[in-house]
Amino acid sequence: MKQIKVFSVFGTRPEAIKMAPLVKELQKREEIDVRVLVTAQHREMLDSVLQLFDIQPDFDLNIMKHGQTITDITSRVLYGAKEIFEQEKPDLVLVHGDTTTTFAAALAAFYEKVPVGHVEAGLRTGNMYSPYPEEMNRKLTGSLATYHFSPTMMNRENLLKENIDNKNILITGNTVIDALLSVTNKPYQFDLEEINQIQDAQKLVLLTCHRRENWGEPMENIFSAVSELTKKHEDIVVVFPMHKNPLVRELAKKHMGENDRILLIEPLDYEPFANLMKKAYLILTDSGGIQEEAPGLGKPVLVLRTETERPEAVQAGTVKIAGVEKEGVLRLADELLSDKTAYDTMAQAVNPYGDGKASAKIADFIVRNAKRISKLEKM
């Protein structure tokens, strides 16, 4: 039987985390010739995930440059992917989510008349500038894709409203749960002794904050609220893996640098970060992926944004939107740290992002539809 050639394309750490279990699942299928193309939109952070999951890329565009703009990323991925697709002639290109790598690779595949499968399809905020540029990246990718692998029913409904054919949509759950469960299923020791030494009687609050729409006053509000939270609750320890961006670091040190119950640490690789989420009592974040991951570990999440493209988590009760005003963040965090009933209601809510079998569902779909997919490439 002729194999179907499937390219998985990704370039950032979050993409790599969510695509790694899918790559490993595809490699189990003898019907599929699996190829991996990385763009290295992020370099070091990407490489650590590839090493963790033992994935050797077949192609590496290595585009990352200091001070690169969105336009730089788009053009370099477009040209680089075009040459590889032209040479390799894949039957299907898989992209993930909403990065600039995702959009540019999907566009390159479209120009070569190769069908695109969009993993984590159908997320929408309805505001093209929030998050920026991710909302437009995923909408444009959705327009270019033939196959749409949606984590939830709500994502599917978003796609149907955009006139996507229902037969090309598959509800899978989120592949991030597949990845998460694979690295948190055993006892873990952190390299940082400060984390290992946090006592069971203390409540670890994990903070992540980096989005560009939060730069400036919103971030100052958030960091100020977190600092005040430690004064109100003497049993908490805050851990903040600082983003590499100098603006984020400057504000973090300004508002939290002198607080001995806030640990400002360097960014963590995926395995220690996943286990830090497992150890946490409460998570405050402006990240998208953490809104999906933390509920899989039974951890309440406060979203440090004014809106989310993951409303099913809010509806399920695993996530609340705290906004970016100091009073709002402080009020919701204070409630969860003070009220055990409120905390348990969120911690015990059912995770809407699946059971850790999303990758297998996508691989099964590709095998089932191999003939249809390969014919599309020849149109």
Side-chain angles (χ1 to χ4, degrees):
M1 176 183 174
K2 181 181 179 293
Q3 288 182 306
I4 181 172
K5 186 185 288 189
V6 178
F7 265 65
S8 294
V9 185
F10 48 93
T12 69
R13 182 173 99 150
E15 284 173 292
I17 291 165
K18 293 181 176 185
M19 288 293 272
L22 178 54
V23 170
K24 303 304 281 187
E25 189 66 37
L26 294 172
Q27 289 173 340
K28 297 176 184 176
R29 310 306 171 100
E30 60 183 20
E31 301 93 338
I32 302 176
D33 177 7
V34 183
R35 305 295 174 91
V36 176
L37 165 59
V38 298
T39 68
Q41 181 178 331
H42 296 169
R43 180 76 271 174
E44 291 180 16
M45 293 188 288
L46 170 70
D47 290 344
S48 68
V49 177
L50 294 173
Q51 184 177 4
L52 173 64
F53 287 95
D54 190 26
I55 293 173
Q56 298 291 329
D58 300 283
F59 304 92
D60 189 338
L61 299 183
N62 196 27
I63 68 164
M64 185 171 178
K65 292 184 180 178
H66 179 69
Q68 64 189 0
T69 66
I70 298 169
T71 304
D72 294 332
I73 297 167
T74 304
S75 58
R76 288 202 288 269
V77 173
L78 184 60
Y79 279 110
K82 181 259 186 192
E83 289 184 7
I84 292 168
F85 295 160
E86 190 175 49
Q87 169 191 322
E88 291 292 315
K89 297 181 170 38
D91 294 300
L92 178 67
V93 168
L94 296 174
V95 296
H96 181 279
D98 53 23
T99 70
T100 301
T101 282
T102 293
F103 163 58
L107 185 59
F110 168 71
Y111 284 160
E112 296 303 310
K113 295 186 178 179
V114 178
V116 173
H118 189 194
V119 181
E120 198 180 88
L123 280 67
R124 299 289 185 269
T125 65
N127 180 346
M128 67 188 291
Y129 289 109
S130 178
Y132 171 83
E134 288 87 354
E135 175 74 359
M136 190 50 68
N137 282 342
R138 56 184 165 236
K139 284 197 70 174
L140 292 168
T141 301
S143 296
L144 294 165
T146 301
Y147 303 106
H148 308 261
F149 303 113
S150 295
T152 70
M153 183 70 75
M154 191 174 292
N155 302 148
R156 173 181 171 273
E157 293 301 320
N158 289 339
L159 293 169
L160 292 175
K161 290 174 187 173
E162 295 173 8
N163 297 316
I164 302 297
D165 192 330
N166 185 51
K167 77 173 186 296
N168 291 331
I169 303 172
L170 179 69
I171 298 173
T172 61
N174 199 299
T175 58
V176 77
I177 305 301
D178 306 24
L180 180 71
L181 297 180
S182 74
V183 298
T184 58
N185 59 1
K186 55 187 180 297
Y188 187 82
Q189 281 289 312
F190 296 90
D191 290 339
L192 286 172
E193 274 307 308
E194 301 100 308
I195 297 176
N196 290 325
Q197 290 169 4
I198 294 173
Q199 303 299 313
D200 290 341
Q202 294 176 300
K203 294 174 180 174
L204 193 162
V205 176
L206 174 59
L207 170 67
T208 80
C209 190
H210 72 280
R211 285 193 177 275
R212 68 182 69 213
E213 59 262 37
N214 277 343
W215 293 354
E217 185 178 348
M219 199 167 282
E220 297 221 36
N221 293 340
I222 291 163
F223 292 164
S224 179
V226 170
S227 187
E228 190 162 323
L229 205 60
T230 63
K231 297 172 185 174
K232 294 190 69 174
H233 297 272
E234 295 184 357
D235 60 341
I236 72 169
V237 176
V238 178
V239 179
F240 179 40
M242 290 187 293
H243 196 271
K244 292 288 189 183
N245 187 288
L247 292 172
V248 176
R249 289 173 169 247
E250 181 183 336
L251 290 178
K253 289 171 182 175
K254 173 184 173 183
H255 289 279
M256 303 184 294
E258 301 300 317
N259 191 319
D260 61 6
R261 281 194 292 119
I262 300 178
L263 302 179
L264 303 182
I265 66 174
E266 291 302 310
L268 296 172
D269 289 340
Y270 179 62
E271 187 175 24
F273 186 80
N275 282 280
L276 185 60
M277 285 195 291
K278 184 179 179 181
K279 188 178 177 73
Y281 184 81
L282 172 65
I283 298 174
L284 279 61
T285 186
D286 63 1
S287 163
I290 292 173
Q291 296 175 51
E292 301 156 344
E293 292 171 296
L297 297 169
K299 309 299 179 178
V301 178
L302 296 182
V303 179
L304 304 171
R305 291 160 59 181
T306 56
E307 56 202 347
T308 179
E309 62 276 40
R310 293 163 171 87
E312 52 276 288
V314 177
Q315 289 186 7
T318 61
V319 161
K320 287 186 178 180
I321 297 175
V324 295
E325 298 296 331
K326 179 178 177 179
E327 294 74 18
V329 174
L330 200 53
R331 178 178 56 81
L332 284 178
D334 184 46
E335 178 186 25
L336 291 172
L337 291 167
S338 305
D339 185 338
K340 189 67 166 60
T341 301
Y343 179 88
D344 288 343
T345 299
M346 289 188 72
Q348 294 168 13
V350 176
N351 178 19
Y353 297 111
D355 54 6
K357 298 177 182 175
S359 299
K361 291 173 184 174
I362 295 170
D364 288 344
F365 178 92
I366 292 170
V367 170
R368 273 199 317 272
N369 291 277
K371 288 183 179 179
R372 180 158 68 107
I373 292 168
S374 58
K375 284 179 182 177
L376 276 174
E377 186 266 330
K378 295 173 177 62
M379 286 174 60

